[in-house]
Amino acid sequence: MTMVPPFPYYEVMVGIIAGGNLSLEGMEVAEKKGMETPFGEPSDHFSVGYLKGREVAFLPRHGPQGIPPHRINHRANIYALKRLGVSEVIGVNSVGSLREKIPPGWIVIPHDYLNPWQILSFYEHQAMHITPALDGRLRDLLIRAATEAGVSFVKEGVYIQTIGPRLETKAEITMLMNFGDVVGMTMAHEATLCQEVGLAYASICSVDNYCHGIGDRPLTEGEISERARENAAQIQRILARLMEETG
Ligand code: HPA
């Protein structure tokens, strides 16, 4: 018994799922598409149109009302992207850094992720065991686009997903430093669900802060969103390069 209804296929395009601070500068939006899914409503309407000649479906994962990370309906978001006919998905994900040598303002293109405590699946009632991995080809394209965009970035790193909505304690960060490079609350779910439905997924992580207890500045939510706003311009440059190269 499959719990995943079939996916009608319309056309091939790239999906971009981003946080609240990124708008797609230069995107010609042809249509705002509302979608219904068997898993409920996606975070928002999809902006479907063209960025540097490549067809794109853009979704702000926190929606207009600022859905907190632990309440995002990731299954609806990914299911809807698949139904729209997307073949690959780029996540733009805000992270804190566990490494002094990866400062706020940098970008990380992670090569793996860790989220053993909370796994989402489309397959709740059927044995379906993907071997999770970020898409190598899409990562290579992102690394090339980031190089050409001239941004400061790290071409690999392990992303650790915490549950949220609170940030981590200093003790949690001391533990997590043994296992990864950046911490966020969204990417692992998106990567896993995309892989389950055959969508290539890779991420541009925006390093918006040092994690709690790293460095000497106290960590505040305000600082994180301010840095995310500042980082948006370089992420737009990476995405524009990527679309030019693959369009
Ligand atoms: N922890 C978890 N998620 C985050 C952080 C953090 O420090 N910064 C941005 N998203």
Side-chain angles (χ1 to χ4, degrees):
M1 166 185 54
T2 176
M3 299 312 292
V4 182
F7 300 105
Y9 210 76
Y10 298 119
E11 52 194 336
V12 173
M13 60 178 130
V14 61
I16 299 175
I17 313 177
N21 291 296
L22 191 86
S23 57
L24 281 191
E25 204 71 23
M27 177 176 173
E28 300 155 41
V29 178
E31 195 180 355
K32 291 259 187 190
K33 247 186 162 113
M35 301 284 288
E36 302 235 331
T37 85
F39 301 96
E41 285 203 5
S43 298
D44 199 355
H45 288 79
F46 290 81
S47 297
V48 180
Y50 289 87
L51 180 62
K52 301 279 176 195
R54 176 104 197 256
E55 196 168 24
V56 166
F58 177 76
L59 179 71
R61 71 169 68 76
H62 300 287
Q65 69 275 45
I67 306 164
H70 66 296
R71 294 257 173 233
I72 293 171
N73 190 344
H74 292 284
R75 289 193 297 186
N77 291 349
I78 303 301
Y79 184 93
L81 276 170
K82 181 78 182 179
R83 276 209 58 188
L84 276 168
V86 154
S87 57
E88 49 196 21
V89 177
I90 312 283
V92 178
N93 306 85
S94 171
V95 292
S97 173
L98 292 165
R99 306 271 170 247
E100 293 223 31
K101 63 177 201 296
I102 309 179
W106 281 47
I107 301 295
V108 175
I109 314 288
H111 71 285
D112 204 352
Y113 62 92
L114 188 155
N115 180 36
W117 31 72
Q118 192 200 28
I119 299 171
L120 281 190
S121 176
F122 284 114
Y123 296 90
E124 296 283 333
H125 304 282
Q126 184 189 354
M128 187 346 181
H129 308 296
I130 57 157
T131 306
L134 295 159
D135 187 78
R137 178 188 151 272
L138 206 48
R139 284 193 65 252
D140 286 346
L141 289 169
L142 283 178
I143 289 166
R144 198 155 87 202
T147 307
E148 286 169 8
V151 306
S152 300
F153 79 102
V154 182
K155 65 179 188 224
E156 59 181 24
V158 171
Y159 176 108
I160 301 177
Q161 184 168 310
T162 53
I163 296 169
R166 69 160 172 81
L167 294 166
E168 301 71 37
T169 64
K170 288 184 183 177
E172 286 164 348
I173 291 302
T174 304
M175 177 187 78
L176 295 177
M177 283 170 78
N178 295 307
F179 302 106
D181 303 291
V182 292
V183 181
M185 300 181 190
T186 52
M187 191 207 81
H189 286 331
E190 292 174 357
T192 298
L193 293 170
C194 278
Q195 196 173 343
E196 279 192 348
V197 295
L199 293 176
Y201 182 93
S203 162
I204 304 172
C205 287
S206 167
V207 181
D208 294 333
N209 57 287
Y210 278 124
C211 286
H212 191 192
I214 298 183
D216 40 19
R217 289 189 44 193
L219 175 60
T220 63
E221 198 191 354
E223 182 203 344
I224 297 178
S225 21
E226 195 179 312
R227 180 63 78 167
R229 277 193 295 278
E230 286 167 17
N231 269 354
Q234 48 180 354
I235 292 166
Q236 281 165 351
R237 287 212 304 279
I238 299 174
L239 288 170
R241 272 313 292 148
L242 179 77
M243 300 306 151
E244 272 164 8
E245 294 229 337
T246 57

